[in-house]
Amino acid sequence: MSNRHAWETTEVIICGCGPTGAMLSAYLGRMGIRNVVVEKETEITTDPRGIALDDDGIRLVQGLGLYNSIYTEIGTSMGEFRFVSGTGHDLYKSPILEINCNETAGTTGHVGYIGQKQPTLESKLRSAMSPVYCSLRCGSAIVDIKEDDDWVYCTYHSVGGKDHKVRARYLVGADGKTGFTRKQYLEPRGVMMEKFHEAFYEETWVALNWKMTLPTPETHPSFPLWELGYKPEHVYDLFFPPEFRFLCNRKRPAVCGRFGLPGDRLWRFEYLVYRDEDGDRMAEPEAMKRTVLPYLTHKGSKYGLDQDVQFPEDCIDVLRCRPFKFSSRTCNVWARDRVILSGDAAHVFPPFGGQGIVSGFRDAISLSWRLAMLCRYQPYKRNHEKVLTAWYLERKQQLGISLATTVRNGELVCERNLLKILFRDWSLWLLQLLPGYREQLRHGRRDKASFRLRHSAGMPFIPELNGGVYLPQVYCRTPTGKVLFTDDAIYRSGSKSLFRVFIYLQRSDEVASARDALEGIEEWSRGEFNSHDVPILVEGMDPKDARTPNVFQIASVEEFSQSPLCSQRPAPLSYDPCLIGKSIKAKYVIVRPDRFVFAACNEPGELKEAVQWMLRYLYGEV
């Protein structure tokens, strides 16, 4: 590439500052990696698109120091998921299945799902982007990408049509399924979006967002429920219940529920468009009313009235109503040379599992530390294809589980065959008569404590030392009694190392000997770890050891429930304080930034060997 001095230089260029791009930038900034984010929109769109964020997503938002904003600004626990069968329009019909999302998902310490406002989520993610390392260029559109052996070169137009030229070690396309990176640059090079054959789904749905205002006796004097003593808030709750509904209606499958904060009064409704129907027509006001308003019309007999009662239409502000084609697809590869895809640019999901945004988050956290490693430890090596291929193969394992679960939920909702519907409903009824199955169904398929990555060549973990296990998160107490998430003890700021090491013990009388095993770790880790900074998590603490520096006692559910961390969120119901110990079964743990265990050891000799393997991986020597 000629005239290189004319190019601004950074380490990573990110195309797109949606949730995936913003999270990637923020985590790169925390790792000290300079990045330029090119975003075509001048402002964050006000249209709430994705509305669900699962416990993994909440955990990764927490990792950016944003936990205090989650329940105060971003969203609210989604409560229960209720699967309702039948062809009627009664949102209060007894469900065939209930999944409690208020219960803490045992693996992460968070509720199962929140209903979030994407514009607020994106704003908070951008606030976590370091002003020192992250440069956001809004109102800018990429027009050209080129590469040589060492750099990728990006030309973009800013507002006013001015050309800007930036070069970086890597470029990440987080610009969506129709973005420039994949459609214009990588598809001609053989990168294609393909059907996810293990669980393929493709249908058109209409998605609408409503914002409600409360009817009052003054604004709607003829509304019949005032005479029965109902207040405006009661009326809103009657017609828009807090639980999220999956409407398994064979005539027109749909999903609906609240999102955002309670005071926002936001409601999402999505309904299927059949293949002989036109999506645009089905999104027109009259078709939308025919589909949705029957669910907002109650039988008068419910209230002892002669006439039916409908929520006032003039209290509904339609923020969005448009068709979308939902698919389960993923690209055949996610990286080619120095250009990488993530989020919707790499894979797309149907709307049945709240996995679209969080899968982009998983891409971002797992990619961020690998890019940091390549830029910091291996800037002049050309080892990136091996590293990025292993990243794709790891993520493909997680993606397969998420997509398959999402498609199964869709099949549950969209079944039209009467015999299969009968079998579905009776099977779920019978299973819920059995206490063990009833609890599993009620919790949903959210327990990832047993998830383990399958190892193949180049993957950064040691399977013989329990590597590849997803690290659970529980609660702990500092020596001064402050309650924390264990991630906040393990991933405390101040350490320059990408990987972290911590000690996990059953009893505090083991602390001294465990610390002795770390003697000299500064030297044999090439300065990656400092023995004085290694956190120690202890299940059972002797009172005389309670104020030992850098020792954190695993906290009880009562301690967490009484702490500020539990403010404005449901208290944990299903919580195992010993989950980390049960999952890793070791004292000395090396963990990656994406919350996967690199190695877990019980002997100091094993720890030294694991650290040496880690160093060889970091420096590209394996």
Side-chain angles (χ1 to χ4, degrees):
M1 182 69 60
S2 62
N3 195 21
R4 293 184 179 183
H5 296 295
W7 295 80
E8 176 188 0
T9 298
T10 189
E11 291 172 292
V12 178
I13 299 168
I14 301 169
C15 305
C17 199
T20 300
M23 176 161 280
L24 176 60
S25 174
Y27 271 108
L28 286 172
R30 291 171 78 87
M31 297 170 189
I33 301 301
R34 292 177 296 112
N35 61 89
V36 169
V37 187
V38 180
E39 167 56 48
K40 66 179 180 180
E41 301 296 335
T42 56
E43 302 287 345
I44 295 172
T45 178
T46 58
D47 179 23
R49 289 155 289 164
I51 64 166
L53 193 65
D54 80 358
D55 56 307
D56 274 354
I58 300 169
R59 183 181 190 179
L60 295 178
V61 173
Q62 168 209 331
L64 292 173
L66 297 172
Y67 181 77
N68 289 338
S69 298
I70 291 173
Y71 296 100
T72 58
E73 299 175 78
I74 296 174
T76 307
S77 174
M78 296 184 81
E80 288 186 342
F81 288 166
R82 295 188 176 183
F83 291 78
V84 180
S85 186
T87 57
H89 299 93
D90 182 6
L91 295 180
Y92 287 91
K93 182 181 178 182
S94 295
I96 56 173
L97 174 64
E98 293 178 272
I99 298 175
N100 189 345
C101 296
N102 278 337
E103 294 196 25
T104 297
T107 310
T108 65
H110 293 297
V111 299
Y113 285 86
I114 62 168
Q116 54 87 20
K117 294 181 292 185
Q118 187 171 333
T120 304
L121 174 64
E122 290 188 32
S123 175
K124 289 298 174 183
L125 292 174
R126 290 188 183 188
S127 74
M129 293 165 57
S130 165
V132 176
Y133 294 103
C134 313
S135 177
L136 174 58
R137 318 282 173 86
C138 291
S140 301
I142 292 178
V143 295
D144 187 55
I145 298 172
K146 289 184 173 64
E147 296 178 76
D148 61 25
D149 288 342
D150 298 311
W151 299 93
V152 56
Y153 302 84
C154 169
T155 302
Y156 68 89
H157 290 329
S158 64
V159 175
K162 183 179 179 181
D163 272 359
H164 301 265
K165 298 178 180 295
V166 186
R167 70 171 183 169
R169 295 293 182 186
Y170 302 95
L171 183 146
V172 181
D175 45 353
K177 59 187 177 181
T178 61
F180 182 94
T181 310
R182 178 169 62 81
K183 297 295 291 183
Q184 302 300 319
Y185 184 71
L186 287 181
E187 282 193 3
R189 290 160 175 78
V191 177
M192 304 298 292
M193 190 75 83
E194 300 177 335
K195 295 180 179 179
F196 188 76
H197 293 289
E198 291 88 341
F200 182 64
Y201 178 91
E202 186 167 79
E203 297 288 355
T204 298
W205 286 63
V206 170
L208 62 87
N209 292 330
W210 285 358
K211 181 175 177 61
M212 263 63 67
T213 55
L214 297 181
T216 68
E218 292 74 28
T219 60
H220 296 78
S222 61
F223 189 67
L225 296 188
W226 307 138
E227 295 181 2
L228 302 179
Y230 285 92
K231 304 298 183 184
E233 285 286 356
H234 296 157
V235 169
Y236 173 70
D237 290 338
L238 277 172
F239 286 89
F240 301 95
E243 306 87 6
F244 204 87
R245 262 72 171 175
F246 291 81
L247 304 171
C248 311
N249 186 333
R250 65 182 179 85
K251 291 185 177 180
R252 181 80 65 185
V255 297
C256 67
R258 299 182 187 181
F259 65 99
L261 301 179
D264 295 327
R265 299 193 186 91
L266 295 169
W267 199 58
R268 165 66 60 87
F269 196 102
E270 297 178 2
Y271 53 91
L272 178 66
V273 176
Y274 288 118
R275 296 186 180 183
D276 60 350
E277 296 176 325
D278 180 86
D280 291 318
R281 287 180 177 270
M282 288 302 298
E284 291 176 353
E286 290 307 312
M288 179 263 288
K289 290 179 183 180
R290 285 196 306 271
T291 303
V292 183
L293 289 184
Y295 288 100
L296 302 179
T297 303
H298 293 178
K299 297 290 186 182
S301 57
K302 179 177 180 177
Y303 306 101
L305 300 173
D306 294 331
Q307 74 274 20
D308 293 342
V309 182
Q310 181 184 301
F311 188 81
E313 288 186 49
D314 59 353
C315 290
I316 299 170
D317 182 13
V318 181
L319 303 180
R320 167 224 259 175
C321 185
R322 52 174 289 206
F324 292 86
K325 179 174 282 189
F326 291 117
S327 300
S328 55
R329 293 177 180 268
T330 180
C331 286
N332 53 342
V333 294
W334 293 3
R336 176 86 13 117
D337 299 322
R338 293 181 177 272
V339 177
I340 308 158
L341 296 174
S342 62
D344 286 352
H347 45 74
V348 291
F349 278 77
F352 303 115
Q355 291 298 297
I357 290 178
V358 76
S359 288
F361 283 1
R362 293 189 188 107
D363 293 347
I365 184 64
S366 58
L367 181 59
S368 63
W369 71 264
R370 287 169 166 91
L371 291 177
M373 177 186 72
L374 291 169
C375 292
R376 184 192 301 176
Y377 296 88
Q378 306 173 33
Y380 304 109
K381 292 192 176 183
R382 293 173 182 171
N383 198 35
H384 53 276
E385 289 188 12
K386 180 179 177 182
V387 170
L388 295 173
T389 297
W391 166 69
Y392 164 70
L393 293 175
E394 278 194 5
R395 283 291 297 119
K396 193 175 179 183
Q397 293 180 45
Q398 294 175 282
L399 192 80
I401 294 172
S402 298
L403 272 171
T405 301
T406 298
V407 170
R408 280 197 298 269
N409 287 345
E411 291 171 347
L412 188 70
V413 174
C414 297
E415 184 58 64
R416 300 181 69 190
N417 183 288
L418 286 173
L419 288 177
K420 290 183 178 180
I421 289 172
L422 186 64
F423 177 77
R424 176 198 68 194
D425 293 359
W426 277 98
S427 296
L428 287 171
W429 180 78
L430 288 169
L431 285 173
Q432 290 176 83
L433 295 178
L434 305 172
Y437 283 105
R438 182 171 63 244
E439 286 305 302
Q440 286 185 32
L441 289 170
R442 185 158 178 77
H443 291 149
R445 303 174 64 89
R446 294 188 282 117
D447 184 7
K448 297 175 284 291
S450 60
F451 180 74
R452 180 192 295 268
L453 293 167
R454 299 185 307 275
H455 189 267
S456 61
M459 288 187 179
F461 59 89
I462 306 175
E464 297 82 8
L465 294 177
N466 218 23
V469 171
Y470 184 71
L471 179 70
Q473 175 174 233
V474 294
Y475 318 126
C476 64
R477 259 196 356 250
T478 68
T480 59
K482 182 180 179 181
V483 176
L484 301 175
F485 291 101
T486 49
D487 277 7
D488 295 333
I490 295 167
Y491 294 99
R492 290 172 298 169
S493 60
S495 173
K496 74 179 185 67
S497 177
L498 293 180
F499 288 31
R500 300 300 171 95
V501 64
F502 70 93
I503 298 172
Y504 191 90
L505 304 172
Q506 267 71 48
R507 304 185 314 276
S508 57
D509 61 10
E510 302 175 90
V511 167
S513 61
R515 273 192 171 146
D516 289 343
L518 298 181
E519 185 177 351
I521 195 173
E522 293 89 345
E523 182 178 350
W524 43 268
S525 71
R526 301 189 203 177
E528 290 294 319
F529 303 128
N530 185 314
S531 60
H532 300 294
D533 292 335
V534 174
I536 302 175
L537 307 181
V538 182
E539 289 182 6
M541 183 76 75
D542 189 302
K544 65 181 175 61
D545 300 321
R547 290 191 173 269
T548 305
N550 226 28
V551 174
F552 301 84
Q553 181 174 1
I554 299 300
S556 68
V557 66
E558 292 79 15
E559 288 169 324
F560 178 81
S561 298
Q562 295 167 14
S563 77
L565 295 179
C566 199
S567 175
Q568 295 183 279
R569 60 155 279 181
L573 297 176
S574 300
Y575 171 66
D576 182 354
C578 301
L579 189 58
I580 293 178
K582 291 176 180 177
S583 298
I584 60 177
K585 302 179 178 69
K587 287 184 180 180
Y588 310 103
V589 186
I590 303 173
V591 64
R592 305 178 340 190
D594 53 2
R595 281 58 177 169
F596 278 93
V597 172
F598 176 82
C601 322
N602 276 309
E603 300 299 328
E606 288 181 336
L607 176 62
K608 288 186 178 181
E609 290 182 12
V611 169
Q612 293 306 310
W613 201 100
M614 179 198 78
L615 291 171
R616 290 195 296 273
Y617 183 79
L618 285 174
Y619 287 93
E621 298 167 359
V622 292

